[in-house]
Amino acid sequence: MITLCLSGMGRYAHVAKEGPDEARRASLIDVIDPALGRLVERMRARDMLARRWVIVTGDHGHTAVIADAEHSLDTGED
């Protein structure tokens, strides 16, 4: 079993000026995909992918919350 953690995307999405959706998309394209591609290339070169399952998962991401009363997460209590 190989466990790999590519951290940072969720954390970055919380503060990205372009918003969480665009930040995740850009991170997947610019950072995660190339990193996984290099790993897969090296594993194939060593025949490390034969008879193995590869599972890719993420923690939670970040969903934008519209700042208005209709979409507010506020419970109305102090």
Side-chain angles (χ1 to χ4, degrees):
M1 177 191 299
I2 296 174
T3 302
L4 177 66
C5 178
L6 300 172
S7 63
M9 182 168 44
R11 184 179 186 100
Y12 174 65
H14 285 281
V15 298
K17 291 179 183 176
E18 66 269 31
D21 293 335
E22 184 57 37
R24 276 193 311 269
R25 187 177 302 110
S27 183
L28 284 167
I29 293 168
D30 299 337
V31 179
I32 303 299
D33 186 62
L36 290 177
R38 287 188 301 275
L39 175 63
V40 168
E41 286 175 14
R42 291 175 181 159
M43 291 178 75
R44 279 192 181 132
R46 294 170 177 81
D47 197 30
M48 293 176 67
L49 292 177
R51 300 173 309 281
R52 286 186 173 82
W53 287 86
V54 176
I55 300 169
V56 178
T57 186
D59 62 347
H60 68 82
H62 176 72
T63 303
V65 177
I66 300 169
D68 64 25
E70 183 178 347
H71 298 91
S72 177
L73 298 178
D74 186 1
T75 63
E77 301 174 6
D78 289 339

